[in-house]
Amino acid sequence: MKKIDKIAFIYLKDRKILSTLSKGKDTYYIPGGKREGTEKDEETLIRECKEELTIDIKKDTIKYYGTFEAQAHGKSEGIVVKMTCYMAEFDGEIEADSEIKEIRWLDYSNLDIISPVDKLIFRDLYEKNLII
C-alpha cells in the first residue's frame, strides 16, 4: 500500500470549515499539502498556508488536531492519503493564491463535494459540534 503524507490546516469560522478548490480539480480540499524533503509538520503547514492562502501561520499557536487516513481521491485503489491536521492562529487576510481557484466555507451538508479523507475530518468536527 502506498501512502501520501499530507499536512492540513483546519480553520473554522461560524461553525464552517475553510476549504479550497485547486485549479483543474472538481473536489474541495482542506488547505495544506505534501511535505517537501525533510520538512517537519510545522514547516509544511506554514509554507503551504503561505503558498495557498497568503497567510502567515503563528508558529507558537500551532496545535495538533488529529490524523486521518482514507483512499486517496482520484488515485488507484490502495493508495491512501494520511492527513495530519493542525489548527493555528495567523496574520494576514485569507486569499486564494498559486494553484487555488476558489475558497469556500463548507459544512457537514457538503460531503458530496469533498475528498474521502476530508469526509472523515468533517464527520469528526460535526460529531464534536464544531461545524454545522
Side-chain angles (χ1 to χ4, degrees), residues 7 9 20 34-35 41 57 64 74 78-79 117-118 130-131:
I7 305 299
F9 175 53
T20 58
K34 298 178 206 148
R35 77 180 76 242
D41 287 9
I57 294 292
Y64 174 75
I79 298 178
V117 73
D118 283 13
L130 295 173
I131 62 171

Side-chain angles (χ1 to χ4, degrees), residues 6-7 15 37 42 72 92 97 105 114 126:
K6 294 183 91 176
I7 305 299
R15 298 186 62 216
E42 289 178 346
D97 200 13
W105 295 95
I114 62 175
Y126 182 77

Side-chain angles (χ1 to χ4, degrees), residues 46 56-63 87-91:
I46 290 166
D56 295 309
I57 294 292
K58 295 180 181 179
K59 188 174 182 177
D60 60 336
T61 69
I62 296 172
K63 289 185 176 59
M87 296 175 129
E89 295 175 21
F90 59 88
D91 288 321

